[in-house]
């Protein structure tokens, strides 16, 4: 097991169980309510891909291949506990390979049977095959992120981590941490809460800087696998969603806004991830995310997340479709106390 993020590596561990079949155990510490967090589940799928090629195709490439693109559909709500993966080799190629995966778990409605909870296609490539034209497009987050204390407007990350503040940036408390347990696996910093950022810009756009703290590990570092978790981790955006959802619900029902807060769940329906740049094997301490929502309509949202490193290089881009549901739909007949 990697010496980087050992508790996280244990939480996403995938074990071969025969020809193209694997097992894993989704941990309750990585849940939103009673449902494993979508980014955490995506990280387990990322690890599944690494394990599958190491186990089933060990001589296909000169070096370890990893996902460059993931398209996932979250069909049913998962639960903490054991899962089974089935993998179909759709194409095994010299430069890229594509697999189809299914995550199976005990059915809630059909005792003794398994349901497909998640399915998707993953395209992988080894580092030696990643050749071709590279060019700068000049893209940068617009509008520019809030200023830090440095003369060029950038954030002094050492000062931010040590004191909790730098320029407009400050350490933030994650909203509803008991319900959103998976959010407690990071340290989050931003130029204000979600509501403050929304009011300042007039748009549903969030900036955040984050350090990885899996199960409180202060030595946690962002790795390629951990990025799969980060692309679905934006507590401040959900803070803004809570406000928007509560206001809309209050207008429709006539119930005061304050009574609507914290009553919402935002499950992922589809998630597409484009991995742009590998992080070093030892990981990095800080990553920046820009999270943008364009439309919330009929209980359905869009989300675009761009992850950058300290140098301003794009590490990953993701888009997803999500729903706005009552938190009761998350828990259902399950009891959070059992977690």
């Amino acid at each position: 097991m990697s010496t980087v993020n050992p508790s996280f590596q244990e939480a996403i561990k995938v074990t071969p169980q025969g020809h193209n079949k694997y097992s894993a155990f989704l941990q309750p510490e990585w849940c939103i309510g009673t449902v494993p967090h979508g980014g955490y589940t995506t990280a387990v799928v990322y690890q599944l891909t690494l394990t599958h090629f190491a186990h089933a195709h060990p001589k296909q490439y000169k070096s370890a291949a990893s996902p460059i693109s993931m398209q996932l559909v979250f069909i049913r709500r998962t639960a903490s506990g054991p899962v089974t993966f089935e993998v179909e080799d759709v194409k095994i190629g010299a430069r890229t390979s594509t697999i189809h995966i299914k995550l199976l778990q005990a059915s809630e409605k059909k005792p003794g049977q398994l349901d497909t909870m998640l399915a998707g296609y993953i395209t992988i490539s080894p580092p030696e095959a990643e050749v071709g034209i590279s060019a700068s497009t000049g893209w940068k987050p617009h509008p520019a992120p809030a200023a830090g204390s440095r003369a060029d407007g950038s954030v002094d990350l050492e000062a931010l981590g040590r004191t909790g503040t730098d320029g407009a940036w400050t350490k933030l408390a994650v909203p509803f941490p008991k319900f959103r347990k998976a959010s407690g696996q990071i340290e989050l910093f931003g130029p204000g809460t979600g509501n403050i950022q929304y009011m300042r810009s007039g748009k549903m756009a969030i900036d955040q800087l984050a350090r990885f703290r899996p199960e409180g590990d202060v030595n946690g570092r962002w790795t390629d696998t951990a990025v799969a978790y980060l692309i679905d981790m934006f507590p401040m955006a959900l803070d803004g969603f809570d406000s928007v959802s509560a206001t809309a619900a209050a207008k429709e029902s006539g119930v005061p806004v304050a009574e609507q807060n914290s009553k919402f769940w935002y499950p992922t329906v589809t998630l597409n991830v484009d991995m742009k740049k590998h992080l070093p094997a030892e990981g990095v301490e800080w990553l920046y995310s820009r999270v943008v929502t364009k439309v919330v309509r009929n209980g359905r949202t869009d989300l675009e997340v761009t992850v950058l490193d300290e140098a301003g290089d794009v590490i990953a881009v993701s888009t997803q479709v999500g729903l706005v549901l009552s938190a009761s739909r998350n828990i259902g007949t399950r009891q959070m106390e059992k977690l």
Side-chain angles (χ1 to χ4, degrees):
M1 188 169 63
S2 172
T3 57
V4 181
N5 305 328
S7 64
F8 179 62
Q9 289 300 124
E10 184 63 30
I12 63 172
K13 181 180 178 181
V14 174
T15 304
Q17 297 293 344
H19 178 66
N20 284 16
K21 288 193 175 182
Y22 301 85
S23 65
F25 192 97
L26 302 182
Q27 303 288 335
E29 294 81 11
W30 296 84
C31 284
I32 302 296
T34 65
V35 179
H37 174 252
Y40 163 62
T41 307
T42 302
V44 177
V45 171
Y46 191 108
Q47 184 62 39
L48 166 69
T49 305
L50 301 182
T51 303
H52 175 65
F53 276 86
H55 179 72
H57 306 288
K59 297 181 180 179
Q60 180 65 28
Y61 302 113
K62 294 179 182 178
S63 55
S66 60
I68 58 172
S69 176
M70 306 173 75
Q71 292 86 41
L72 303 178
V73 181
F74 293 75
I75 301 168
R76 298 178 177 90
R77 63 175 188 172
T78 53
S80 60
V83 299
T84 297
F85 285 105
E86 293 180 353
V87 179
E88 175 191 359
D89 293 322
V90 178
K91 170 202 168 185
I92 304 299
R95 173 162 183 163
T96 65
S97 293
T98 300
I99 61 175
H100 177 236
I101 67 98
K102 292 194 293 185
L103 184 158
L104 307 173
Q105 199 167 39
S107 174
E108 290 189 43
K109 298 182 179 179
K110 296 173 287 185
Q113 297 186 40
L114 297 177
D115 280 337
T116 300
M117 319 304 265
L118 177 152
Y121 284 90
I122 298 118
T123 300
I124 68 95
S125 184
E128 66 269 13
E130 287 282 271
V131 295
I133 294 173
S134 295
S136 173
T137 66
W139 181 88
K140 293 182 179 180
H142 181 79
S149 66
R150 289 177 170 167
D152 62 357
S154 63
V155 178
D156 185 335
L157 294 175
E158 191 280 329
L160 183 63
R162 177 170 45 84
T163 68
T165 184
D166 185 75
W169 293 74
T170 186
K171 188 173 183 178
L172 301 171
V174 174
F176 313 116
K178 186 176 180 181
F179 181 72
R180 296 173 183 160
K181 294 186 294 295
S183 303
Q185 309 290 351
I186 62 171
E187 274 187 342
L188 189 67
F189 303 79
T193 64
N195 283 331
I196 289 174
Q197 292 195 50
Y198 287 171
M199 288 188 290
R200 181 186 299 128
S201 68
K203 300 178 181 179
M204 293 190 72
I206 292 294
D207 288 325
Q208 63 180 38
L209 282 161
R211 296 198 289 193
F212 197 32
R213 293 294 183 260
E215 299 190 29
D217 182 5
V218 296
N219 296 312
R221 292 295 182 268
W222 294 114
T223 60
D224 289 346
T225 312
V227 168
Y229 155 78
L230 180 62
I231 51 91
D232 193 36
M233 181 48 62
F234 28 73
M236 290 305 110
L238 297 186
D239 178 39
F241 273 135
D242 284 335
S243 178
V244 170
S245 301
T247 300
K251 183 177 180 180
E252 182 174 319
S253 66
V255 176
V257 172
E259 295 182 25
Q260 302 287 350
N261 282 326
S262 77
K263 292 187 177 181
F264 300 96
W265 173 42
Y266 308 97
T268 301
V269 178
T270 63
L271 176 65
N272 299 304
V273 185
D274 180 4
M275 307 296 285
K276 291 293 191 181
K277 176 185 175 182
H278 286 291
L279 295 174
E282 67 275 15
V284 299
E285 185 175 7
W286 293 92
L287 286 176
Y288 160 88
S289 301
R290 165 68 60 86
V291 185
V292 177
T293 296
K294 298 179 178 67
V295 179
V296 180
R297 180 172 292 132
N298 299 327
R300 181 159 50 88
T301 72
D302 60 84
L303 279 159
E304 180 181 76
V305 180
T306 308
V307 179
L308 289 78
D309 63 11
E310 290 186 46
D313 291 335
V314 176
I315 302 300
V317 177
S318 79
T319 59
Q320 67 172 269
V321 174
L323 297 178
V324 183
L325 298 176
S326 166
S328 64
R329 293 283 297 276
N330 174 292
I331 299 170
T333 58
R334 303 173 188 172
Q335 296 297 317
M336 290 188 65
E337 289 77 14
K338 293 183 179 180
L339 298 179

